[in-house]
Amino acid sequence: MHWHLSSHIKNAFRHRQARIAVPESKQNRAIVQILYDEGFVAAVQTGDTLGPYNIGVQVPITPDNVSRRRIWLDLKYAQGEPVLADMRAISKPSRRVFASAQELKMVAAARKASPLLKGAQVGQVTILKTVYGIIELKDALKKNVGGEVLCIAK
């Protein structure tokens, strides 16, 4: 549920938290990895409700622990200010937002592609769900594919 993840991370930055835990899922893992790769979070670790696991420890997923598994994020701040200023879910259960490859090119060129898709700003990361999985806008442009626009981080 990317809309839950977006609001959770945004609120944590707003309250200046150092570390947060979000439910573990393949979708959340992919979105968090993109945020880490783009420099919005300092570290990503797997753990449970008690805290992150020690580095190098692999705990198998079992029916007993699947509901307690979490992804732990160390949030990043520069000179006391959050690196991530805003994170919004674009596509929601009540309103799915899809974009073609052509519309994504317009977004990347900072032009409005539709009423729900405004042009990208400097430092903005657009996360998409495509046939190649969950990828960032620049990767979708390289592969010339469209998809569901999940969220925007800036």
Side-chain angles (χ1 to χ4, degrees):
M1 297 185 303
H2 63 276
W3 53 89
H4 176 262
L5 178 69
S6 297
S7 64
H8 194 102
I9 292 173
K10 180 179 175 179
N11 290 336
F13 269 113
R14 187 177 289 161
H15 292 286
R16 303 284 198 261
Q17 294 180 344
R19 178 180 276 179
I20 61 168
V22 295
E24 185 175 26
S25 68
K26 289 180 183 179
Q27 187 177 51
N28 283 355
R29 164 88 42 210
I31 293 171
V32 164
Q33 189 61 46
I34 291 171
L35 293 175
Y36 176 74
D37 293 341
E38 295 294 329
F40 287 110
V41 294
V44 177
Q45 293 176 295
T46 304
D48 60 15
T49 54
L50 301 176
Y53 298 136
N54 292 330
I55 295 177
V57 174
Q58 294 290 343
V59 177
I61 299 173
T62 64
D64 296 332
N65 73 0
V66 72
S67 65
R68 294 189 317 262
R69 293 182 66 87
R70 299 287 184 266
I71 302 170
W72 286 84
L73 308 174
D74 290 341
L75 304 182
K76 197 175 196 180
Y77 297 91
Q79 299 164 351
E81 292 298 315
V83 173
L84 183 80
D86 188 27
M87 186 167 180
R88 291 180 286 124
I90 301 300
S91 189
K92 302 175 184 176
S94 61
R95 181 191 67 209
R96 299 282 191 208
V97 178
F98 294 89
S100 66
Q102 188 62 32
E103 289 173 322
L104 292 177
K105 288 177 186 175
M106 290 177 67
V107 169
R111 293 190 315 218
K112 189 174 182 177
S114 73
L116 298 174
L117 285 176
K118 296 183 171 81
Q121 299 173 354
V122 176
Q124 176 177 304
V125 174
T126 304
I127 301 173
L128 308 160
K129 184 177 183 180
T130 68
V131 295
Y132 294 102
I134 295 175
I135 59 176
E136 207 266 322
L137 175 64
K138 63 185 173 198
D139 298 325
L141 293 175
K142 287 178 189 173
K143 295 177 181 182
N144 198 31
V145 296
E148 183 179 4
V149 183
L150 297 180
C151 54
I152 291 175
K154 53 184 170 178

